[in-house]
Amino acid sequence: MEQLIEFAGNHLLLVIALFVISGALAWNLIAGGGKNNIPPSEATVLINRVDVRPIADFNKGHIVHSINLPINGFKNQIKQLEKHKSTPVIVSCRSGNQSQMACRELRKAGFERVYNLRGGVMAWQGANLPLTRKK
């Protein structure tokens, strides 16, 4: 135990970084584990996919039938989704973090069934599900 205390005293920045990263991981697990996060396997049966990545990333490959509404300026583009207000809407980004913010905005705008693609497009690819470059 004395060695641990000595190590912590000698490497204070490293110990602080450990606590910050651990806290961020815990927050991600707590905040990201809600009922409105779905894995890629479940997303295939729902419709109305929204991709909030930048257009350059979207053009490199996106989930079939998804539309691109980049996260910067997302609030101003929500009106494009009005016809889907009462149907399931799956929001994706690269890793699932920015799409969580977009999901919050959609819920504030009155969308009833909004889901975040857990793990984003990276998880989609990791599940060996297809991407397309067609618009």
Side-chain angles (χ1 to χ4, degrees):
M1 186 63 149
E2 290 177 27
Q3 290 176 336
L4 183 61
I5 294 170
E6 182 181 346
F7 177 84
N10 292 335
H11 304 286
L12 188 58
L13 288 177
L14 187 61
V15 172
I16 291 171
L18 173 67
F19 283 110
V20 169
I21 291 171
S22 297
L25 287 172
W27 174 257
N28 193 23
L29 288 174
I30 293 167
K35 66 178 181 171
N36 290 324
N37 283 303
I38 60 171
S41 58
E42 289 180 35
T44 59
V45 297
L46 296 176
I47 56 173
N48 303 321
R49 297 172 185 101
V50 177
D51 191 320
V52 296
R53 295 177 299 156
I55 189 71
D57 292 341
F58 182 81
N59 288 337
K60 289 178 186 174
H62 55 273
I63 299 169
V64 178
H65 303 299
S66 62
I67 61 170
N68 184 240
L69 299 176
I71 195 69
N72 67 359
F74 183 77
K75 289 180 187 180
N76 300 327
Q77 301 177 64
I78 290 178
K79 290 185 183 200
Q80 294 181 35
L81 301 173
E82 284 293 319
K83 64 183 175 184
H84 303 296
K85 239 181 178 173
S86 61
T87 59
V89 175
I90 303 170
V91 184
S92 66
C93 66
R94 184 179 149 291
S95 64
N97 291 325
Q98 290 184 330
S99 51
Q100 279 185 339
M101 292 186 292
C103 286
R104 274 185 243 130
E105 292 302 321
L106 288 171
R107 286 187 200 101
K108 285 181 192 175
F111 284 77
E112 298 170 10
R113 296 171 61 194
V114 179
Y115 301 92
N116 180 45
L117 180 61
R118 186 181 326 137
V121 173
M122 291 185 337
W124 184 272
Q125 287 178 293
N128 293 319
L129 294 168
L131 294 179
T132 185
R133 291 184 178 170
K134 295 179 183 177
K135 292 187 179 184

